[in-house]
């Protein structure tokens, strides 16, 4: 998939949808946590007996495992179809900290517009290899120019 360079206003227009996607991811993550805790309790209570279909909680364990797997598949779907497919990068720590990176260009190079869940707009950016710690405020000049200085040299752009 070719990389796209987001303008600041394009990234901002996607924020309501990204808030919903990240809320869905967080809900699935919480479901996994609760179900995993319940599995641990069952395993502490029954140990190896839980493997026996005659165990009263054997079916409950199977249901919890199936729910964990389904939640994992839904999380993967959300990331792939709702984030990555739009050309947005889901960086390391994205789930825990609600981070998204929107690839863009600035002065002939690829950089990321950086947004954290709960921020009202995209107001920060960082170099491709700098990460969240390298965030800088988007200046008015950058707001007007980011994503508009294409074409770039023969670069594929940053990985999503």
């Amino acid at each position: 998939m070719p990389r796209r360079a987001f303008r600041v206003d394009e990234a901002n227009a996607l924020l309501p949808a990204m808030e919903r996607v990240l809320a869905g991811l967080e809900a699935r993550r919480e479901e996994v946590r609760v179900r995993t805790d319940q599995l641990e309790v069952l395993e502490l209570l029954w140990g190896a007996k839980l493997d026996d279909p005659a165990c009263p909680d054997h079916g409950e364990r199977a249901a919890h495992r199936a729910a964990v797997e389904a939640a994992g598949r839904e999380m993967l779907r959300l990331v792939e179809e709702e984030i990555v497919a739009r050309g947005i990068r889901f960086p390391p720590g994205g789930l825990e900290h609600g981070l998204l990176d929107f690839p863009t260009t600035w002065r002939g190079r690829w950089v990321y517009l950086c947004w954290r869940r709960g921020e009202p707009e995209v107001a920060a950016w960082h170099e491709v290899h700098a990460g969240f710690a390298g965030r800088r405020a988007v200046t008015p000049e950058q707001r007007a120019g980011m994503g508009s200085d294409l074409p770039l040299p023969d670069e594929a752009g940053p990985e999503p």
Side-chain angles (χ1 to χ4, degrees):
M1 173 170 74
R3 306 288 178 243
R4 72 172 286 199
F6 285 89
R7 295 183 52 84
V8 176
D9 59 335
E10 292 173 324
N12 282 331
L14 288 171
L15 295 186
M18 293 301 98
E19 281 280 3
R20 287 189 298 276
V21 170
L22 291 176
L25 285 168
E26 183 58 36
R28 298 297 79 69
R29 182 177 180 207
E30 178 62 13
E31 180 180 1
V32 167
R33 187 195 63 75
V34 167
R35 297 281 190 158
T36 301
D37 287 351
Q38 292 169 336
L39 282 166
E40 288 177 8
V41 168
L42 290 175
E43 289 169 3
L44 283 172
L45 287 173
W46 293 102
K49 292 179 185 176
L50 202 50
D51 292 331
D52 183 352
C55 176
D57 287 330
H58 178 81
E60 184 177 344
R61 178 177 74 171
H64 288 310
R65 283 182 171 174
V68 167
E69 289 173 9
R73 285 189 305 274
E74 176 60 9
M75 290 173 74
L76 184 59
R77 186 198 68 76
L78 286 170
V79 169
E80 289 176 349
E81 295 179 13
E82 301 293 335
I83 297 174
V84 176
R86 294 177 192 220
I88 303 167
R89 180 174 176 263
F90 195 51
L95 183 58
E96 293 80 11
H97 303 289
L99 300 175
L100 294 177
D101 288 333
F102 297 82
T104 191
T105 55
W106 178 240
R107 295 191 172 158
R109 68 186 189 281
W110 286 98
V111 297
Y112 290 129
L113 290 167
C114 181
W115 176 74
R116 186 175 202 171
R117 187 172 180 210
E119 293 176 342
E121 65 178 5
V122 175
W125 70 281
H126 60 79
E127 298 289 344
V128 170
H129 299 291
F132 185 82
R135 282 176 35 131
R136 304 178 207 171
V138 174
T139 66
E141 177 188 13
Q142 290 168 328
R143 183 175 297 277
M146 284 183 154
S148 63
D149 56 354
L150 295 175
L152 289 175
D154 294 331
E155 287 184 51
E159 290 297 317

